[in-house]
Amino acid sequence: MSQTGGPVTVEGHAGEQAVAALQGFGVDVMFTLNGGHVWPLYEAARHRDMRVVDTRHEQSAAFAAEAYAKLTRTAGVAVLTAGPGITNGVSAVTSAWFNGSPLVVLGGRAPQGRWGSGSLQELDHVPILRSVTKSAGTVTDPATAARVVHEAVATAVAPHRGPVFVDFPLDVFGPSAGELPAVDASFGRAAEPDTDAVAQLATRLAAAERPAFIVGSDAYWGRAEEALRAAVEALRVPVFANGLGRGLLSADHELAFLRTRGLLKQRADLVVVIGTPLDFRLGFGRFGSAAVAHVVDAESQRASQIDVPSVVGDIATTLTGLGRHGGARVDHDAWIVELRDAEERARADEEPLLAATADPIKPSRIYGELRRRLERDAVVICDGGDFASYAGKFVEVHEPGCWLDTGPYGCLGNGMGYLIAARVARPSAQVVALLGDGAAGFSLMDADSLVRHGLPCVMVVGNNGMWGLEKHPMQAIYGWDVACDLQAGCRYDEVVRALGGGGETVTDPDEIGPALDRAFAAGVPYVVNVVTDPSDVYPRSSNLG
Ligand SMILES: Cc1ncc(C[n+]2csc(CCOP(=O)(O)OP(=O)(O)O)c2C)c(N)n1
Ligand SMILES: [Mg+2]
């Protein structure tokens, strides 16, 4: 957030003011797909030196903007043209709503002076966007554009974060000037938690025999990694993670656990869920007979379906308070050893799966090959059904902001937009997307965007020739299936090659590793299309999301 001090006057049309307002928050790129209604925003980006990255579908632009927010912990911006440009982005906006990601969507809009006469793409977007954003509105007076956009971004980045929408009727782009408020250093910070509530939770943790933390995305957004590490090392509490919580504590930390969620459910006596909703991924907040406490960054995040004690406010402050709480505490080392032993057994059980020589290829073998090639700061993106679930099970995350999954909205098709943003935000890290063959079909055309913008990355397609996460359950429930089959062995690599990238199809398990090596070295967007065993079914009960 670069701009400080008092308000300044921005000379220029509403687009100039909007881009100046974005830059005040440190935004340096917009993701978009062209449409005449938003040209003034491009003109301002050109004038003010903001990078413009365009995609082949507005969904990818909006997913890219969301991922950019996730990767940078600042606002991510999509510029979508009026009507279909905006409605094409709605699923990605909704994903950001579920993910609590500060996505800012600036939209074009038919002219207000002729509203109701049937202009091209004359649609009132605001009611459509209102239910999936923190705020949605229209700039009606050009002199307010800087302030409206400034306030929209401030709303997006304020905990609990989420998407915002502002559209600009074509006729607000006339010559103008507007006042741009200063960016305050306190923007983006949650309220202070209640110290008594923190102390009560600390007392309960001190008395618990088998406590655990489950840490999610809002701890990442709240930059709580240092406070988390300090707290769990002081309290000796095992940590599980989901979403962007993964990597806050490195997977190889002695208190980080990935494979023992079943044991957590059977044995824990206190589960403190931090910065993630008590939703289906967490059994709606029930962990066997364990007591549950919830640490959230805003009142809106308290669970409504279950009554558990909550601490509301800045998550890093809450964790710091927990870690510093003195006094006697129950020793947890036997519990940690119990979990660690089970974790190591589960890890050993994985080894044959990761090394599977079966033909056709087991998806787990792909992860065995990938895991040994991933660097600690690799960005891993998931988009798919069973194939993505395996990623959650087998990929170990070592640093914050390195794991991008779809999130609880579960909208397939995020992968390519996320890839675009990941390479823009992390120019030198490994960037890998794990795509089901079904998921890949939503947006593989955006390999073209990766090529045009010079964004090398690795895509791995788990090609089982089906919508596996639907086909297997349909078979189990009905004994038949419909609308579940895709082309077996389809050459997604040829699609990417035709678009100017690289790629190959792999059918021999021993060729996966060398193909991944070629992909990482290629210097272009490169797909490894692995034909996998169609009879393989993900063991779903063990997944926590
Ligand atoms: C936009 C969207 N459409 C449909 C679904 C329903 N759905 C969930 S998983 C899945 C199958 C995914 O298949 P694929 O990507 O090939 O992965 P696989 O399960 O085969 O590994 C489908 C269709 C969804 N989650 N999102
Ligand atoms: Mg599939």
Side-chain angles (χ1 to χ4, degrees):
M1 300 182 189
S2 52
Q3 181 212 334
T4 50
V8 293
T9 301
V10 181
E11 300 290 340
H13 58 58
E16 290 285 343
Q17 296 176 44
V19 170
L22 296 174
Q23 288 177 324
F25 284 86
V27 175
D28 56 2
V29 55
M30 62 171 67
F31 299 93
T32 190
L33 192 156
N34 206 321
H37 289 88
V38 293
W39 286 352
L41 290 160
Y42 297 164
E43 185 189 22
R46 184 168 190 263
H47 178 212
R48 293 178 174 269
D49 207 19
M50 179 177 285
R51 187 170 179 186
V52 177
V53 176
D54 68 316
T55 63
R56 298 298 298 266
H57 194 295
E58 286 85 359
Q59 173 160 297
S60 292
F63 272 130
E66 193 222 352
Y68 196 76
K70 286 182 168 187
L71 290 152
T72 60
R73 293 194 266 203
T74 57
V77 174
V79 172
L80 306 181
T81 198
I86 289 164
T87 52
N88 273 352
V90 169
S91 287
V93 175
T94 313
S95 294
W97 175 242
F98 275 66
N99 290 339
S101 301
L103 166 64
V104 176
V105 178
L106 304 184
R109 186 178 173 99
Q112 55 189 359
R114 203 182 281 145
W115 197 262
S117 321
S119 296
L120 172 70
Q121 297 164 342
E122 186 188 272
L123 175 73
D124 185 6
H125 316 111
V126 173
I128 297 173
L129 272 298
R130 186 168 284 139
S131 66
V132 291
T133 52
K134 291 180 76 178
S135 71
T138 299
V139 174
T140 51
D141 172 358
T144 65
R147 185 173 53 73
V148 169
V149 174
H150 168 90
E151 285 172 0
V153 185
T155 299
V157 300
H160 182 70
R161 297 163 184 81
V164 296
F165 175 77
V166 180
D167 61 7
F168 297 77
L170 255 185
D171 45 359
V172 301
F173 287 124
S176 179
E179 286 279 286
L180 176 59
V183 172
D184 194 290
S186 68
F187 283 6
R189 263 190 76 79
E192 290 300 298
D194 177 58
T195 42
D196 289 344
V198 175
Q200 276 167 24
L201 181 54
T203 306
R204 294 181 64 202
L205 275 163
E209 297 197 350
R210 292 178 305 281
F213 283 177
I214 299 179
V215 183
S217 298
D218 294 328
Y220 168 79
W221 290 112
R223 299 181 185 274
E225 53 267 35
E226 279 311 311
L228 174 70
R229 194 182 46 73
V232 300
E233 287 178 357
L235 302 169
R236 308 283 303 153
V237 176
V239 178
F240 296 78
N242 74 6
L244 282 161
R246 298 180 59 146
L248 285 181
L249 193 66
S250 174
D252 53 10
H253 190 282
E254 55 148 345
L255 292 168
F257 295 87
L258 177 63
R259 301 164 180 84
T260 36
R261 295 151 178 172
L263 190 57
L264 166 85
K265 250 188 157 166
Q266 287 163 21
R267 295 275 294 144
D269 63 351
L270 173 63
V271 176
V272 183
V273 177
I274 302 169
T276 188
L278 301 175
D279 62 14
F280 68 95
R281 296 172 299 171
L282 297 185
F284 303 100
R286 298 189 194 280
F287 304 92
S289 59
V292 176
H294 201 195
V295 173
V296 295
D297 62 4
E299 285 290 340
S300 64
Q301 297 309 294
R302 282 183 196 264
S304 56
Q305 86 280 8
I306 185 171
D307 189 18
V308 296
S310 304
V311 180
V312 181
D314 184 65
I315 290 176
T317 309
T318 298
L319 285 166
T320 301
L322 294 178
R324 289 195 182 145
H325 195 79
R329 58 180 95 253
V330 176
D331 186 274
H332 305 143
D333 277 0
W335 167 231
I336 293 167
V337 169
E338 181 181 347
L339 278 172
R340 182 56 60 199
D341 286 350
E343 183 81 19
E344 290 312 317
R345 279 197 303 278
R347 179 194 279 276
D349 290 347
E350 275 173 11
E351 287 307 322
L353 301 172
L354 296 172
T357 53
D359 178 6
I361 292 169
K362 289 286 176 198
S364 56
R365 175 67 185 269
I366 302 172
Y367 289 98
E369 297 298 332
L370 184 65
R371 208 159 84 175
R372 75 173 73 111
R373 288 169 173 82
L374 286 180
E375 290 161 9
R376 289 182 78 83
D377 65 345
V379 178
V380 177
I381 292 160
C382 300
D383 183 5
D386 285 351
F387 191 58
S389 300
Y390 277 118
K393 190 179 167 79
F394 293 131
V395 174
E396 298 182 315
V397 187
H398 294 289
E399 292 184 11
C402 288
W403 171 262
L404 302 188
D405 61 20
T406 314
Y409 193 52
C411 181
L412 296 173
N414 61 293
M416 299 301 287
Y418 276 27
L419 261 182
I420 293 166
R423 179 50 80 218
V424 170
R426 308 270 170 87
S428 53
Q430 287 177 329
V431 170
V432 186
L434 301 159
L435 309 171
D437 51 343
F442 283 89
S443 53
L444 202 57
M445 191 68 203
D446 265 302
D448 166 72
S449 308
L450 292 164
V451 169
R452 284 183 299 109
H453 293 285
L455 303 172
C457 56
V458 175
M459 294 155 268
V460 182
V461 175
N463 190 343
N464 56 1
M466 64 177 71
W467 303 98
L469 179 52
E470 306 298 350
K471 185 172 177 103
H472 297 306
M474 277 196 91
Q475 279 291 343
I477 292 168
Y478 293 109
W480 51 266
D481 68 85
V482 65
C484 287
D485 292 326
L486 300 167
Q487 290 182 45
C490 184
R491 296 297 301 271
Y492 298 103
D493 54 323
E494 289 189 356
V495 176
V496 174
R497 288 158 67 107
L499 295 171
E504 58 191 287
T505 288
V506 175
T507 54
D508 173 353
D510 291 334
E511 271 306 306
I512 301 169
L516 287 173
D517 289 336
R518 286 188 283 275
F520 281 118
V524 294
Y526 195 102
V527 65
V528 180
N529 179 41
V530 186
V531 180
T532 60
D533 182 355
S535 68
D536 184 86
V537 184
Y538 181 79
R540 192 135 297 278
S541 61
S542 66
N543 187 31
L544 197 79

